């Protein structure tokens, strides 16, 4: 409207001056006036159309190939209107320069961290690290102010703007996934500054106030010259207050500007490993105190565990055992030291060894080795988890000697009983016959090699009754034998009349531990050759009763 008013005023002034001009000058003045009016009308129409379509800022911004930012130290003084949202305050405690640096640094990694150039420099050019990206970031120092210019190679087209929106959606989705993931994820530069983090890491930072434990190994290995693309380590986080210690396995991958890291909580795994080590140490201490030699071979048949008793029993050197010999080498050394019986055929020694290992793996191997030194070993093979096999070496020399001595004593006792002319039989606490002498076998016609261990008191009573003239005379004796465990009576005397022998005195004597002994008179004149008695008939008749 001001332009229109100025035009009318100009026309009025021109008309007022036409009165003093000639015809030619008047025509020229009118033409100039009309031309000036047309220019003013065109300017007014262009301004009106521009205001209606809304193109002055958005269209120019979309077609522009550069953006200029002016900083006064960390504070943004001016910048493009369409950059207000990316540089807006999103709740982080950041300055304007830090927000701009966060936007540009991934694309221009050489951009300075602080809003100032190096001493002696007033201008800097930074190229994009992306292939095919010809954009340039220019920074000019003007006094204490900094002018940052982003210049693109060409204005974005419709496809570029659509791709940018799609990438923004994908980036938002990825950020949402990373933000909600339960494991800590973060990015850091080579100086140790955290540039990005998710919610799990922020929660972890509360426990790590003032601590750099989780990033310290990366800072110690941050030499770019190493060219190490990945880095894995385990770290313990110092507990705060009464919180228990926590262990994390950190996985980091080197990037151009720093590290991308993630951490997995392995506290439960570390505690389980510690418990396993303590258990193994406890077992090792227990094995060290055993008198039985222990040798455990893994699934590859290499010696993985042994105890000191094995050294004492096998006389193998600790150097040999700690070198993890194979199972065949182990037994070869035992054979060389005559710790195991000498094989009869050396050609089949390997086959015998393979059979030994197979039997041990099935839990079927157990042998007694009688050595030339007079010692006796019991060797047992047992299967172990994960295909391993364990061998136990036990010195049973004393046990064998004691068994032999016990057998000698039994043989001597039996000889003493056989030397007595009276017939003697002994019943144990369960009422089963345990001993009898030769005179007893002759008296009741029992074979010399017959097994009497299954003969009970009632079976013996029936045997006696068959040989007696009057079976009822044996009933008091049977009662005495059956009730001996309930009454600790002294010995009792009875008289038994046999058909072939006549009258014989009998005695029932209580013994220790509930046993008892029965003797049948003096049998010096007893005939040795009498018809033998069938013991199976006694058991059948007792069962029938």
């Amino acid at each position: 409207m001001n332009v229109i008013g100025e035009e009318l005023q100009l026309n009025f002034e021109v008309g007022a001056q036409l009165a003093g001009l000639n015809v030619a000058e008047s025509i020229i003045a009118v033409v100039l006036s009309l031309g000036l009016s047309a220019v003013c009308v065109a300017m007014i129409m262009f301004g009106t159309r521009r205001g209606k379509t809304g193109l002055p800022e958005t269209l120019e911004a979309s077609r522009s190939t550069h953006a200029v930012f002016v900083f006064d130290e960390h504070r943004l003084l001016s910048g493009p209107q369409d950059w207000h949202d990316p540089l807006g305050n999103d709740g982080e405690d950041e300055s304007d320069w830090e927000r701009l640096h966060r936007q540009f640094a991934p694309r221009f990694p050489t951009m300075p961290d602080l809003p100032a150039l190096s001493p002696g420099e007033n201008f800097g050019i930074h190229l994009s690290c992306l292939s095919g990206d010809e954009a340039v970031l220019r920074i000019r120092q003007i006094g204490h102010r900094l002018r940052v210019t982003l210049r693109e190679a060409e204005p974005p087209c419709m496809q570029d703007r659509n791709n940018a929106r799609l990438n923004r959606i994908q980036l938002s989705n990825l950020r949402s996934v990373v933000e909600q993931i339960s494991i800590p994820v973060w990015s850091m530069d080579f100086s140790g500054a955290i540039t990005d983090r998710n919610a799990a890491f922020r929660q972890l930072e509360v426990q790590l106030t003032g601590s750099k434990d989780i990033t310290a190994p990366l800072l110690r290995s941050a030499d770019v010259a190493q060219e190490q693309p990945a880095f894995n380590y385990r770290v313990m986080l110092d507990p705060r207050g009464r919180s228990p210690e926590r262990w994390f396995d950190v996985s980091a991958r080197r990037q151009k500007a720093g590290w991308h890291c993630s951490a997995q909580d392995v506290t439960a795994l570390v505690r389980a490993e510690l418990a396993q080590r303590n258990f193994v140490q406890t077992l090792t201490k227990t094995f060290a105190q055993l008198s039985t030699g222990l040798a455990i071979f893994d699934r590859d048949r290499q010696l993985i565990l042994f105890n000191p008793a094995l050294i004492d029993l096998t006389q193998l050197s600790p150097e040999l055992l700690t070198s993890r010999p194979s199972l065949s080498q182990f037994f070869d050394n035992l054979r060389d030291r005559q710790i195991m019986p000498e094989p009869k055929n050396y050609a089949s020694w390997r086959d015998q060894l393979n059979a030994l290992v197979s039997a041990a793996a099935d839990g079927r191997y157990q042998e007694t080795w009688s050595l030339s030194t007079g010692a006796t070993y019991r060797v047992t093979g047992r299967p172990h988890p994960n295909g391993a096999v364990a061998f136990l070496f036990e010195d049973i020399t004393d046990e064998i000697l004691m068994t032999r001595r016990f057998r000698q004593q039994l043989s001597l006792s039996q000889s003493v009983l056989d030397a007595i002319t009276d017939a003697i039989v002994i019943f144990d606490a369960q009422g089963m016959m345990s001993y009898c002498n030769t005179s007893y076998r002759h008296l009741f016609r029992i074979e010399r090699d017959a097994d009497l261990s299954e003969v009970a008191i009632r079976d013996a009573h029936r045997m006696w009754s068959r040989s007696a003239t009057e079976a009822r005379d044996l009933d008091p004796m049977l009662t005495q034998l059956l009730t001996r465990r309930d009454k600790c009576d002294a010995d009792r005397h009875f008289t038994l009349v046999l058909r072939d022998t006549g009258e014989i005195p009998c005695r029932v004597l209580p013994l220790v531990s509930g046993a008892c002994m029965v003797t049948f008179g003096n049998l010096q004149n007893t005939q040795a050759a009498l018809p033998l008695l069938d013991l199976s008939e006694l058991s059948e008749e007792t069962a029938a009763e």
Side-chain angles (χ1 to χ4, degrees), residues 267-317:
T267 304
L269 176 61
V270 171
R271 291 175 180 172
E273 292 175 349
L274 179 61
Q276 183 182 18
R277 286 197 297 270
N278 293 336
F279 180 69
V280 171
Q281 291 177 359
T282 302
L283 287 181
T284 303
K285 293 178 181 179
T286 303
F287 292 156
Q289 298 175 358
L290 290 177
S291 59
T292 301
L294 174 66
I296 298 180
F297 297 85
D298 60 14
R299 63 188 307 169
D300 297 326
R301 300 301 179 254
Q302 299 289 326
L303 182 64
I304 59 174
L305 183 63
F306 65 93
N307 64 343
L310 184 68
I311 300 176
D312 299 334
L313 294 175
T314 62
Q315 301 177 8
L316 298 178
S317 64

Side-chain angles (χ1 to χ4, degrees), residues 194 336 353 445 499:
I194 305 298
D336 295 339
L353 189 59
R445 306 189 301 277
R499 293 190 180 92

Side-chain angles (χ1 to χ4, degrees), residues 61-209:
S62 64
R63 293 178 179 177
S64 177
T65 59
H66 67 281
V68 180
F69 307 86
V70 179
F71 281 86
D72 184 358
E73 294 184 350
H74 285 268
R75 184 168 60 89
L76 179 64
L77 299 181
S78 64
Q81 183 69 26
D82 55 336
W83 281 83
H84 284 182
D85 290 340
L87 298 180
N89 190 351
D90 55 359
E92 296 285 345
D93 188 14
E94 294 178 322
S95 63
D96 295 337
W97 175 262
E98 290 173 339
R99 283 190 287 271
L100 183 71
H101 186 274
R102 180 158 47 86
Q103 292 288 331
F104 287 170
R107 189 179 181 187
F108 304 96
T110 58
M111 179 182 179
D113 297 334
L114 300 176
L117 297 178
S118 301
E121 294 184 0
N122 294 325
F123 184 75
I125 297 179
H126 306 277
L127 302 179
S128 173
C129 64
L130 304 177
S131 60
D133 188 1
E134 299 179 359
V136 177
L137 185 68
R138 298 176 179 176
I139 302 178
R140 181 183 296 276
Q141 185 83 41
I142 306 174
H144 61 277
R145 293 187 177 182
L146 210 64
R147 179 185 177 93
V148 180
T149 303
L150 172 63
R151 184 172 296 277
E152 301 284 354
E154 58 184 7
C157 62
M158 184 68 69
Q159 183 180 0
D160 294 334
R161 289 195 293 272
N162 182 68
N163 292 338
R165 289 186 176 91
L166 291 179
N167 292 337
R168 189 176 303 171
I169 294 174
Q170 294 177 356
L171 179 61
S172 177
N173 293 336
L174 288 177
R175 281 187 171 275
S176 177
V177 171
V178 174
E179 182 70 15
Q180 298 176 9
I181 197 171
S182 59
I183 64 174
V185 178
W186 72 97
S187 299
M188 58 180 288
D189 56 23
F190 290 117
S191 65
I194 305 298
T195 57
D196 201 1
R197 60 184 69 78
N198 68 344
F201 186 84
R202 287 193 294 271
Q203 184 179 2
L204 192 61
E205 282 182 314
V206 176
Q207 305 175 11
L208 296 175
T209 304

Side-chain angles (χ1 to χ4, degrees), residues 462-476:
R462 182 168 296 280
M463 182 191 309
W464 303 335
S465 300
R466 284 189 173 187
S467 300
T469 57
E470 186 64 40
R472 287 179 299 178
D473 295 340
L474 294 172
D475 292 341

Side-chain angles (χ1 to χ4, degrees), residues 246-450:
R246 298 179 63 186
W247 289 83
F248 285 88
D249 277 349
V250 179
S251 176
R253 296 194 64 83
R254 187 187 297 273
Q255 304 297 323
K256 292 184 178 180
W259 298 91
H260 291 335
C261 311
S262 62
Q264 182 71 35
D265 192 341
V266 292
T267 304
L269 176 61
V270 171
R271 291 175 180 172
E273 292 175 349
L274 179 61
Q276 183 182 18
R277 286 197 297 270
N278 293 336
F279 180 69
V280 171
Q281 291 177 359
T282 302
L283 287 181
T284 303
K285 293 178 181 179
T286 303
F287 292 156
Q289 298 175 358
L290 290 177
S291 59
T292 301
L294 174 66
I296 298 180
F297 297 85
D298 60 14
R299 63 188 307 169
D300 297 326
R301 300 301 179 254
Q302 299 289 326
L303 182 64
I304 59 174
L305 183 63
F306 65 93
N307 64 343
L310 184 68
I311 300 176
D312 299 334
L313 294 175
T314 62
Q315 301 177 8
L316 298 178
S317 64
E319 292 78 10
L320 173 65
L321 297 178
T322 54
S323 65
R324 300 189 62 185
S326 64
L327 190 142
S328 60
Q329 293 173 342
F330 177 80
F331 280 98
D332 284 342
N333 279 271
L334 291 182
R335 185 193 64 185
D336 295 339
R337 287 172 171 78
Q338 297 182 351
I339 303 301
M340 65 180 299
E342 194 73 15
K344 297 180 180 179
N345 185 1
Y346 284 98
S348 61
W349 163 244
R350 294 301 174 188
D351 295 336
Q352 296 177 19
L353 189 59
N354 293 333
L356 180 149
V357 175
S358 300
D362 296 337
R364 296 180 288 105
Y365 180 77
Q366 181 171 344
E367 286 188 357
T368 300
W369 292 354
S370 298
L371 308 183
S372 59
T373 59
T376 304
Y377 289 173
R378 179 189 293 124
V379 183
T380 306
R382 290 289 182 266
H384 217 59
N386 299 324
V389 62
F391 286 93
L392 303 176
F393 295 82
E394 186 178 1
D395 187 355
I396 59 172
T397 304
D398 295 339
E399 179 182 342
I400 294 297
L401 293 177
M402 185 179 297
T403 302
R404 291 173 181 172
R405 188 178 301 112
F406 181 69
R407 289 178 179 174
Q408 291 176 356
Q409 292 176 353
L410 289 179
S411 179
L412 179 61
S413 299
Q414 186 67 46
S415 298
V416 171
L417 290 177
D418 290 340
I420 298 175
T421 58
D422 291 350
I424 298 176
V425 61
I426 299 175
F427 297 94
D428 59 18
Q430 284 72 37
M432 304 301 294
M433 186 180 297
S434 58
Y435 295 103
C436 70
N437 63 354
T438 303
S439 298
Y440 180 85
R441 292 177 180 271
H442 288 171
L443 179 61
F444 294 103
R445 306 189 301 277
I446 302 174
E447 294 182 356
R448 182 176 182 83
D449 298 329

Side-chain angles (χ1 to χ4, degrees), residues 444-495:
F444 294 103
R445 306 189 301 277
I446 302 174
E447 294 182 356
R448 182 176 182 83
D449 298 329
D451 183 14
L452 302 178
S453 60
E454 299 298 328
V455 177
I457 291 177
R458 289 187 179 276
D459 297 331
H461 176 265
R462 182 168 296 280
M463 182 191 309
W464 303 335
S465 300
R466 284 189 173 187
S467 300
T469 57
E470 186 64 40
R472 287 179 299 178
D473 295 340
L474 294 172
D475 292 341
M477 183 185 298
L478 177 62
T479 304
Q480 175 67 17
L481 291 173
L482 294 178
T483 59
R484 75 196 185 286
R485 287 168 292 183
D486 300 329
K487 297 180 181 180
C488 298
D489 295 337
D491 56 326
R492 298 288 299 275
H493 296 265
F494 302 92
T495 300

